[in-house]
Amino acid sequence: MALLDSVGRLAASMTDILQTRLALASLEIEEELQRFLQLLLWSLAAFFCACFAVVLLAVMLIALFWDHYRLPLIGGMIAAFGGASYWMFAHIRNQLASKPRLLQATLDELEKDAAHLRGAAPEERQENAN
């Protein structure tokens, strides 16, 4: 009877561990989805700004400075908006480079659990032998 109780407690402990780890995995997936959506929105905003700026800038500069200074002004505005879009894309690239691996915390906790169980197994055998 004691063996069955021990097996039952072990099964309950393993179920609790699994439930905790799955909850952690779920949380990490939700965080990663939010991070992805944020980066997607930043990307779309940067792309839209870059395209819209180029078109409007070209039209405005051609209209305003058709007779004088049209080329230097077009070049300056293209550089300014190009620099802004480059900054946005660099921000996106940095965000992607600094993100943690998907489910890293869950994997770390499972590794700790496995190490603990490997370490606990010999101790339990010694206690049962005594």
Side-chain angles (χ1 to χ4, degrees), residues 20-37:
T20 302
R21 298 309 175 240
L22 288 175
L24 180 59
S26 173
L27 181 64
E28 284 188 77
I29 289 171
E30 288 176 12
E31 288 175 351
E32 191 62 30
L33 180 61
Q34 288 176 352
R35 183 179 294 115
F36 173 76
L37 290 175

Side-chain angles (χ1 to χ4, degrees), residues 45-125:
F47 182 73
F48 177 77
C49 288
C51 291
F52 197 65
V54 168
V55 170
L56 286 179
L57 201 53
V59 170
M60 184 185 81
L61 291 175
I62 290 171
L64 286 176
F65 298 103
W66 183 256
D67 296 329
H68 305 88
Y69 309 112
R70 75 174 163 232
L71 293 179
L73 285 173
I74 289 173
M77 294 302 283
I78 289 172
F81 283 103
S85 64
Y86 175 80
W87 177 83
M88 289 181 197
F89 285 119
H91 174 76
I92 293 166
R93 186 181 62 235
N94 289 338
Q95 289 290 321
L96 286 172
S98 66
K99 74 175 190 70
R101 279 184 46 202
L102 182 63
L103 301 176
Q104 184 61 48
T106 299
L107 293 172
D108 291 343
E109 289 300 319
L110 286 172
E111 186 177 326
K112 287 178 189 176
D113 292 342
H116 184 267
L117 289 172
R118 274 188 241 114
E123 293 170 5
E124 287 178 15
R125 285 189 212 127

